[in-house]
Short mmCIF file of all heavy atoms in Angstrom, two decimals:
data_model
loop_
_atom_site.label_atom_id
_atom_site.label_comp_id
_atom_site.label_asym_id
_atom_site.label_seq_id
_atom_site.Cartn_x
_atom_site.Cartn_y
_atom_site.Cartn_z
N SER A 240 -3.99 18.58 2.20
CA SER A 240 -5.24 18.30 1.53
C SER A 240 -4.96 17.47 0.27
O SER A 240 -3.85 17.47 -0.26
CB SER A 240 -5.96 19.59 1.18
OG SER A 240 -5.37 20.23 0.08
N ASP A 245 -2.30 15.95 -5.01
CA ASP A 245 -2.44 15.75 -6.45
C ASP A 245 -1.50 16.68 -7.22
O ASP A 245 -0.87 16.27 -8.20
CB ASP A 245 -3.89 16.00 -6.90
CG ASP A 245 -4.84 14.92 -6.41
OD1 ASP A 245 -4.39 13.83 -6.00
OD2 ASP A 245 -6.06 15.19 -6.41
N ALA A 246 -1.38 17.91 -6.76
CA ALA A 246 -0.47 18.86 -7.40
C ALA A 246 0.98 18.41 -7.25
O ALA A 246 1.77 18.50 -8.20
CB ALA A 246 -0.67 20.26 -6.83
N LEU A 248 2.04 15.33 -6.84
CA LEU A 248 2.23 14.17 -7.70
C LEU A 248 2.48 14.61 -9.14
O LEU A 248 3.39 14.10 -9.81
CB LEU A 248 1.02 13.24 -7.63
CG LEU A 248 1.08 12.00 -8.51
CD1 LEU A 248 2.23 11.10 -8.11
CD2 LEU A 248 -0.24 11.25 -8.45
N ALA A 254 8.85 16.29 -13.13
CA ALA A 254 10.29 16.28 -12.87
C ALA A 254 10.95 15.06 -13.50
O ALA A 254 12.03 15.16 -14.09
CB ALA A 254 10.55 16.30 -11.37
N PRO A 259 14.88 12.26 -16.21
CA PRO A 259 14.61 10.87 -15.84
C PRO A 259 15.59 10.31 -14.81
O PRO A 259 15.25 9.39 -14.07
CB PRO A 259 14.73 10.12 -17.16
CG PRO A 259 14.53 11.13 -18.21
CD PRO A 259 15.03 12.43 -17.65
N GLY A 260 16.79 10.87 -14.73
CA GLY A 260 17.78 10.39 -13.79
C GLY A 260 17.72 11.05 -12.42
O GLY A 260 18.61 10.83 -11.60
N ALA A 264 12.93 12.44 -7.25
CA ALA A 264 11.58 12.47 -7.82
C ALA A 264 11.01 11.06 -7.90
O ALA A 264 9.83 10.84 -7.61
CB ALA A 264 11.60 13.13 -9.19
N LEU A 266 11.79 8.60 -5.91
CA LEU A 266 11.47 8.20 -4.54
C LEU A 266 10.13 8.78 -4.11
O LEU A 266 9.27 8.07 -3.57
CB LEU A 266 12.57 8.65 -3.58
CG LEU A 266 12.30 8.41 -2.10
CD1 LEU A 266 12.12 6.93 -1.81
CD2 LEU A 266 13.41 9.00 -1.26
N TYR A 267 9.93 10.06 -4.34
CA TYR A 267 8.67 10.70 -3.96
C TYR A 267 7.49 10.08 -4.71
O TYR A 267 6.41 9.89 -4.12
CB TYR A 267 8.72 12.20 -4.21
CG TYR A 267 9.81 12.92 -3.45
CD1 TYR A 267 10.47 14.00 -4.00
CD2 TYR A 267 10.19 12.51 -2.17
CE1 TYR A 267 11.47 14.67 -3.31
CE2 TYR A 267 11.19 13.17 -1.48
CZ TYR A 267 11.83 14.24 -2.05
OH TYR A 267 12.82 14.90 -1.37
N GLY A 273 2.47 4.44 -3.60
CA GLY A 273 2.20 3.46 -2.56
C GLY A 273 1.04 3.88 -1.67
O GLY A 273 0.16 3.08 -1.35
N GLN A 277 -1.32 2.22 -5.63
CA GLN A 277 -0.89 1.91 -7.01
C GLN A 277 0.44 1.14 -6.94
O GLN A 277 1.50 1.67 -7.24
CB GLN A 277 -0.78 3.18 -7.83
CG GLN A 277 -2.09 3.92 -7.96
CD GLN A 277 -1.96 5.25 -8.69
OE1 GLN A 277 -0.88 5.63 -9.13
NE2 GLN A 277 -3.06 5.96 -8.80
N ARG A 280 2.96 0.88 -9.99
CA ARG A 280 3.64 2.16 -10.26
C ARG A 280 4.63 2.48 -9.14
O ARG A 280 5.71 3.01 -9.40
CB ARG A 280 2.62 3.28 -10.41
CG ARG A 280 1.76 3.09 -11.67
CD ARG A 280 0.75 4.18 -11.82
NE ARG A 280 1.38 5.22 -12.64
CZ ARG A 280 0.78 6.33 -12.99
NH1 ARG A 280 -0.45 6.59 -12.61
NH2 ARG A 280 1.40 7.22 -13.74
N THR A 282 6.26 0.31 -7.29
CA THR A 282 7.41 -0.58 -7.46
C THR A 282 8.32 -0.08 -8.57
O THR A 282 9.55 -0.06 -8.42
CB THR A 282 6.93 -2.02 -7.75
OG1 THR A 282 6.17 -2.48 -6.63
CG2 THR A 282 8.11 -2.95 -7.98
N ALA A 283 7.74 0.33 -9.69
CA ALA A 283 8.55 0.83 -10.81
C ALA A 283 9.33 2.08 -10.42
O ALA A 283 10.52 2.21 -10.73
CB ALA A 283 7.67 1.10 -12.02
N ALA A 284 8.68 3.00 -9.74
CA ALA A 284 9.35 4.23 -9.32
C ALA A 284 10.45 3.93 -8.30
O ALA A 284 11.55 4.50 -8.37
CB ALA A 284 8.34 5.21 -8.74
N ALA A 285 10.18 3.02 -7.38
CA ALA A 285 11.19 2.65 -6.38
C ALA A 285 12.40 2.00 -7.06
O ALA A 285 13.54 2.27 -6.69
CB ALA A 285 10.59 1.71 -5.34
N HIS A 287 13.50 2.60 -10.08
CA HIS A 287 14.27 3.68 -10.71
C HIS A 287 15.10 4.43 -9.68
O HIS A 287 16.22 4.85 -9.98
CB HIS A 287 13.34 4.67 -11.42
CG HIS A 287 12.86 4.20 -12.74
ND1 HIS A 287 13.65 4.17 -13.87
CD2 HIS A 287 11.66 3.72 -13.13
CE1 HIS A 287 12.96 3.71 -14.88
NE2 HIS A 287 11.74 3.43 -14.46
N PRO A 291 20.46 2.93 -9.30
CA PRO A 291 21.80 3.55 -9.40
C PRO A 291 22.68 3.32 -8.16
O PRO A 291 23.89 3.48 -8.23
CB PRO A 291 21.50 5.05 -9.55
CG PRO A 291 20.10 5.13 -10.02
CD PRO A 291 19.41 3.94 -9.44
N MET A 293 22.68 0.43 -6.07
CA MET A 293 22.92 -0.95 -5.64
C MET A 293 22.73 -1.90 -6.81
O MET A 293 22.15 -1.52 -7.82
CB MET A 293 22.00 -1.31 -4.49
CG MET A 293 20.52 -1.21 -4.81
SD MET A 293 19.45 -1.31 -3.36
CE MET A 293 19.93 0.15 -2.46
N PRO A 294 23.20 -3.14 -6.64
CA PRO A 294 22.99 -4.11 -7.72
C PRO A 294 21.51 -4.31 -8.02
O PRO A 294 20.65 -4.24 -7.13
CB PRO A 294 23.60 -5.40 -7.15
CG PRO A 294 24.53 -4.95 -6.07
CD PRO A 294 23.94 -3.68 -5.52
N ASP A 299 15.64 -4.61 -7.07
CA ASP A 299 14.35 -5.22 -7.39
C ASP A 299 13.66 -5.74 -6.15
O ASP A 299 12.44 -5.57 -5.98
CB ASP A 299 14.53 -6.34 -8.40
CG ASP A 299 14.88 -5.86 -9.80
OD1 ASP A 299 14.70 -4.64 -10.06
OD2 ASP A 299 15.33 -6.68 -10.61
N SER A 300 14.41 -6.39 -5.28
CA SER A 300 13.84 -6.94 -4.06
C SER A 300 13.28 -5.83 -3.16
O SER A 300 12.16 -5.92 -2.66
CB SER A 300 14.89 -7.76 -3.31
OG SER A 300 14.36 -8.27 -2.12
N SER A 303 10.20 -4.09 -4.72
CA SER A 303 8.98 -4.90 -4.60
C SER A 303 8.35 -4.77 -3.22
O SER A 303 7.13 -4.87 -3.08
CB SER A 303 9.28 -6.36 -4.89
OG SER A 303 9.69 -6.51 -6.23
N ALA A 304 9.16 -4.53 -2.21
CA ALA A 304 8.64 -4.37 -0.85
C ALA A 304 8.12 -2.96 -0.58
O ALA A 304 7.31 -2.75 0.32
CB ALA A 304 9.73 -4.71 0.17
N MET A 305 8.55 -2.00 -1.37
CA MET A 305 8.21 -0.59 -1.14
C MET A 305 6.72 -0.31 -0.98
O MET A 305 6.32 0.36 -0.03
CB MET A 305 8.79 0.26 -2.27
CG MET A 305 8.56 1.72 -2.15
SD MET A 305 9.69 2.43 -0.97
CE MET A 305 9.17 4.11 -1.01
#
Side-chain angles (χ1 to χ4, degrees):
S240 75
D245 290 343
L248 179 62
L266 175 61
Y267 300 145
Q277 298 176 1
R280 293 180 92 180
T282 299
H287 281 285
M293 60 192 64
D299 288 344
S300 179
S303 296
M305 182 78 181

